[in-house]
Each structure stands twice: as structure tokens, then as C-alpha cells.
Amino acid sequence: MSTDTLIKELQASGVKGRFAQNVELGKLSWFRCGGRADLVFQPQDEADLAAFLRIIPADMPLNIFGIGSNMLVRDGGIRGVVIRLSNKGFGGIVPHGSHQLLVGCAASDKSIAAAALTAGLGGFHFFHGIPGGLGGALRMNAGANNIETAERVIQVRAIDRQGKIHILESQDMGFSYRHCAASQDLIFISALLTGPSASADDISRAMAEVQHHRESVQPVREKTGGSTFRNPPQCSAWEAIDAAGCRGLTIGGAQMSPMHCNFMINTGEATAYDLELLGDTVRKRVYEHSGIHLHWEIKRIGDFSLGQSILKP
Ligand SMILES: Cc1cc2nc3c(=O)[nH]c(=O)nc-3n(C[C@H](O)[C@H](O)[C@H](O)COP(=O)(O)OP(=O)(O)OC[C@H]3O[C@@H](n4cnc5c(N)ncnc54)[C@H](O)[C@@H]3O)c2cc1C
């Protein structure tokens, strides 16, 4: 079925959200490079997303894209449908009872930290420095400053591929270091978050420290995806990369940041292929140097361009 026909069928069935074809999705990721998505769908609200999921063909590939701060979109782009939750329909943050916030999964981590400050809730300052949204934070169990998203989560509302709603308690999410074991089939819609009472002064101070620390040790103004690799059990990933001589290593327009060598950056004209090849080259060199296996934290999605491939070690 052509994309045009699919869109017409979905609209005729009452799906109201926005459709966009041939979208330069890679340019929307923080790396600002990579291919196009055949079709991007932004549902109007939860009911609209459910209607869409009930109608699309079961074999249609689906990807969910948050703010794109942990994504590398390969140069050949993405087939099927990419779902993006709009801030309008899914970005709300509402105080809920005492010590709780009900947050839509399109809300940015920064806006959650700001809302927690207003509500006098501590333990959210780490979100002030993470450039993603709540959906990505849940899927990645994003963390910093010795706090993980998991610690703030009471309950998550999610929808599956058939459009059925699921309520997951924190323990059902299978959180571990930068990982959530909840089914990949689930799209997170909103979550109930909690934190202890704290004074506005203490929260503001913690947020300012987060910002200051990041600006001094991370290339936060570069086109990057944050930490490229998860920390292995033995040491920090950056230590293994540094020891293997890969600080500043460059392939095409891709470079392991001289400032923080577990951050990969697009210095200007990198392709997604440059970046992925650089990452896999680093993994190989680190393994040869120290026997340490580094595992990607950045999610790589989509197809290689014609003629490209990366042979996995
Ligand atoms: C400068 C910089 C600093 C960073 N610092 C940190 C840090 O300190 N700690 C840290 O943990 N990370 C850090 N990151 C990485 C990144 O910001 C986090 O992983 C963030 O949580 C990703 O959120 P996102 O909305 O951008 O998700 P995306 O990158 O768009 O997606 C990430 C994953 O989440 C999935 N996803 C997104 N939304 C949903 C949803 N609604 N339902 C289900 N799955 C979903 C996607 O399919 C994908 O698998 C940093 C990145 C940058 C660029």
C-alpha cells in the first residue's frame, strides 16, 4: 500500500493527527544528520493514537521518536511509520495529590525539573541537565548526579500496538542501568512521578550546580547524543576509551570529543555512517587494548544507504 493511500484510509477512519511524508528526521536528532522517515505521525491525543494503532497494518514497522537526543538515524532513513508525541497533546505537567506530578511523555526533562521546583519536590534536579523528554527518559532510565528516572516513577500509562492501554507500576518497568525492560511494543503516554519535599533554595542550587558542572565537562553545545557507550562494570567508558588512545579520534566529520571522550560529536558535515563507523572503531580498539566490551547507549535506527554496511565484531 502506498503512503498516500494509507494516510487517506487513516483519515477516512477518523484519525485526526498530523501526517508528514519524507521527513528529514535525522536533522531533528541532536546529531543533526541522517536520513528521512517515510512517514511521521503526530497523534492529536491518546484517543487519536489508539485509533491509529487499531487501524494500521500489523506488519507496518513502527518507531517511536522522542526529542532525538539519544538517537542516530542512519543515512538510508526509516521505513514504515515514526510516531512523535506532540507537546500539545502529550506534554502536560499537573501536580497530583501531595508529592506527585502527572506528566505527559512529550514533556521535556527540563520542564519537569522546573515544575518540581514550583511544586517544592526534590530529586528532580538531574532532569535539568538532560536534553530529552519523559518518554525517552523512561525507555532509557536516564540518569545523572547519582539519580535515575526509575527512582522518581510511581506508575506509567502506556499503549500497545493494538491500541490497548496498560498501567505499569514502577517495578513492572524492569528498570536497570540505562535500560527499561518493558515491552518494546509499548509507547509510554504519561507517568506519575514523585519526589521528597525540598525548599526552593535547595532545589534551585542543585539545578544550578547541574548546569555548571555540565558546561564545564561536557560538549553540550555540540551536535552530540550524550554518552555514546554505557559504562562497563570495570570503569567509566571514557576511561577505557582514553586508555585506548581514542580521545579525539576522527572519521570523516565524526569525532570522539576531546573534551569528554565518551561523547561522539558531529563536527559539521558528519554522516550517520561516519558516526557509527567511529563508534564501532572505538569499540574494537578498546577491546583490543583492554579486553573491555563497550555497548552502545545511543540507539541507532533505520537503514544504511545503498553500499554501506558496518561489520559487527
Ligand atoms: C548533551 C547531552 C547530554 C546528555 N546527558 C545525559 C545524561 O546525563 N544522562 C542520560 O541518561 N542521558 C543523557 N543524554 C542522552 C539523552 O538525553 C537521554 O537518553 C534521554 O532520556 C533521551 O530522551 P529523548 O526524548 O531525546 O529520546 P529519544 O532519543 O528520541 O529516544 C530514545 C529512546 O527512547 C524511546 N522513546 C522515546 N519516547 C518514547 C515513548 N513515549 N515511549 C516509548 N519509548 C520512547 C525511543 O524509541 C528510543 O528507543 C544526553 C544527551 C545529550 C545530547
Side-chain angles (χ1 to χ4, degrees), residues 120-147:
L121 296 181
F124 285 92
H125 55 280
F126 75 108
F127 266 161
H128 184 57
I130 302 181
L134 180 60
L138 291 168
R139 179 51 77 193
M140 300 305 301
N141 188 18
N145 311 92
N146 296 317
I147 308 176

Side-chain angles (χ1 to χ4, degrees), residues 154-197:
I154 299 177
Q155 199 177 71
V156 176
R157 186 175 176 88
I159 188 163
D160 68 19
R161 205 176 151 131
Q162 285 71 43
K164 186 168 171 267
I165 295 293
H166 298 253
I167 304 294
L168 294 94
E169 305 301 324
S170 185
Q171 64 271 18
D172 304 331
M173 293 287 284
F175 286 124
S176 57
Y177 167 63
R178 299 296 173 270
H179 181 71
C180 159
S183 167
Q184 290 291 334
D185 197 32
L186 292 175
I187 299 170
F188 305 131
I189 298 170
S190 63
L192 200 53
L193 307 177
T194 190
S197 293

